[in-house]
Amino acid sequence: FGRMKPVIVVHGGAGRIFKEREEGSRAGVVRAALQGYGILKQGGSALDAVEEAVRSMEDDPHFNAGCGSVLNEKGEVEMDAIIMDGKNLDSGAVSAVKCVANPIKLARLVMEKTKHMLLTDHGAHLFAQAMGIPETPGEKLITERSRQRWKKNLEPDSNPEEFQKDLGTVGAVAIDSEGNVACATSTGGLSNKLIGRVGDTACIGSGGYADNRSGATSTTGHGESIMKVVLARLILYHMEQGMSPEMAADTALDYMKTRVGGLGGVIVVNNSGEWAARFSTKQMSWATVKDDQLHYGIYAGERHTKSVDEAHASESEGF
């Protein structure tokens, strides 16, 4: 009975990834996966690995989380995040938070420093202050692209729905050498959403779920649809019934599509270290590291493989 081989899987959001953003999305998920794996390789926890991977993507303006988040109807950034520990089902989440560079760090603090699981808006803000988290001016989180898109969606003949396809929640799941699993998910939500709208990301069982008895999953896609079917928990349920991660993911995504017409994507790792990255949208950027092999892709059927050493080398040269 050896120690588990650690595995990390990350996603940078399901939807439509515009051509000019493909490279950046690929590089971003690869970087996040390598950083998370680095922690696991040194014997670090799945929890630390998923938090670090998600933080890396929050700081990357290519993704709709942290810096680069889309704007609500009023032109502000409001973010949601969740983290969960499969060991004891502890979880922490924040919703509708503003002026925080890394909502995932705040979610982790909610889990570890309070008796609660979810803090929202003003209360989350007060908690962040109490925890000594520096306030990041909202402007700092807004990219030119998010602002342009917000403006475009305000035009009378615009169809924000068309843009919603480019979603970009970020997430990570991992299993560490102790056999513990964890998940983390973070997002800026839907472009031009109503003020105070909270999607699936901050909701346990929808945006993510982790349980050592079965595995961990993080979701992305149309938040309202994901919430209707409680997608993350549904996938783990299928795995508890004996399905492989891939089969469980496909079955749950298919159910969401037929039952409520929703599209999305998921990453999964089970408690024996098998993983999957599946999506019903056109694209989803994803990356995984297992056995010192990096795999990544964006399109259905696309899968590149490199050794971790090779990946680190091309990392330093840029893609």
Side-chain angles (χ1 to χ4, degrees):
F1 188 76
R3 283 154 72 78
M4 270 305 298
K5 279 190 176 152
V7 182
I8 186 158
V9 195
V10 305
H11 70 74
R16 187 181 58 187
I17 297 160
F18 296 103
K19 269 280 181 259
E20 73 276 6
R21 298 180 68 76
E22 272 184 26
E23 278 310 289
S25 296
R26 267 197 199 94
V29 288
V30 165
R31 188 177 307 121
L34 290 172
Q35 285 182 353
Y37 190 68
I39 289 173
L40 295 172
K41 271 302 263 195
Q42 289 158 15
S45 70
L47 212 50
D48 287 345
V50 294
E51 181 186 0
E52 181 52 33
V54 165
R55 185 207 54 76
S56 156
M57 291 183 285
E58 284 176 341
D59 290 346
D60 185 331
H62 280 94
F63 302 109
N64 174 18
C67 175
S69 288
V70 297
L71 312 186
N72 66 14
E73 55 176 357
K74 225 174 92 183
E76 299 173 329
V77 164
E78 282 187 319
M79 301 165 291
D80 306 333
I82 194 167
I83 192 164
M84 187 166 182
D85 182 350
K87 204 180 352 210
N88 46 17
L89 307 186
D90 277 350
S91 177
V94 292
S95 68
V97 296
K98 304 178 185 74
C99 307
V100 173
N102 296 110
I104 200 64
K105 287 188 168 174
L106 193 55
R108 174 90 186 251
L109 288 168
V110 170
M111 175 171 85
E112 293 183 343
K113 305 288 185 199
T114 77
K115 291 190 172 71
H116 308 310
M117 283 173 73
L118 172 59
L119 290 182
T120 194
D121 199 351
H122 182 58
H125 177 72
L126 294 175
F127 175 65
Q129 281 179 326
M131 289 289 117
I133 288 185
E135 197 167 315
T136 304
E139 290 304 302
K140 274 245 165 73
L141 299 172
I142 299 177
T143 58
E144 189 45 40
R145 177 169 184 265
S146 293
R147 193 184 300 286
Q148 289 306 327
R149 188 149 133 205
W150 171 71
K151 280 203 185 118
K152 214 180 167 103
N153 285 343
L154 290 179
E155 291 165 11
D157 59 346
S158 87
N159 175 13
E161 289 306 305
E162 208 16 63
F163 280 98
Q164 300 312 9
K165 299 198 170 95
D166 179 23
L167 290 158
T169 299
V170 306
V173 295
I175 186 164
D176 58 31
S177 55
E178 305 286 313
N180 292 314
V181 298
C183 70
T185 313
S186 180
T187 190
L190 291 178
S191 193
N192 296 62
K193 61 189 177 179
L194 294 182
I195 290 164
R197 178 263 187 187
V198 177
D200 65 293
T201 299
C203 302
I204 188 171
S206 294
Y209 203 81
D211 182 350
N212 280 5
R213 291 183 180 179
S214 46
T217 179
S218 167
T219 68
T220 166
H222 185 244
E224 281 71 14
S225 298
I226 290 171
M227 290 157 96
K228 287 175 186 175
V229 302
V230 198
L231 187 62
R233 191 65 193 82
L234 181 60
I235 291 166
L236 292 193
Y237 165 78
H238 286 315
M239 293 203 301
E240 287 156 7
Q241 304 302 304
M243 283 188 192
S244 69
E246 189 163 302
M247 184 76 183
D250 286 349
T251 305
L253 284 169
D254 191 50
Y255 176 72
M256 183 167 82
K257 193 172 173 178
T258 51
R259 187 70 180 87
V260 297
L263 301 179
V266 300
I267 50 172
V268 192
V269 65
N270 71 7
N271 59 6
S272 55
E274 297 176 290
W275 62 273
R278 308 293 290 170
F279 47 100
S280 52
T281 50
K282 274 213 170 87
Q283 291 148 293
M284 178 179 80
S285 54
W286 62 273
T288 183
V289 187
K290 180 180 181 173
D291 286 330
D292 290 319
Q293 290 289 316
L294 163 78
H295 308 276
Y296 61 97
I298 287 186
Y299 292 93
E302 174 193 0
R303 182 157 156 186
H304 306 279
T305 303
K306 284 181 179 178
S307 73
V308 165
D309 296 340
E310 213 184 325
H312 277 299
S314 56
E315 261 278 87
S316 47
E317 295 154 23
F319 269 67

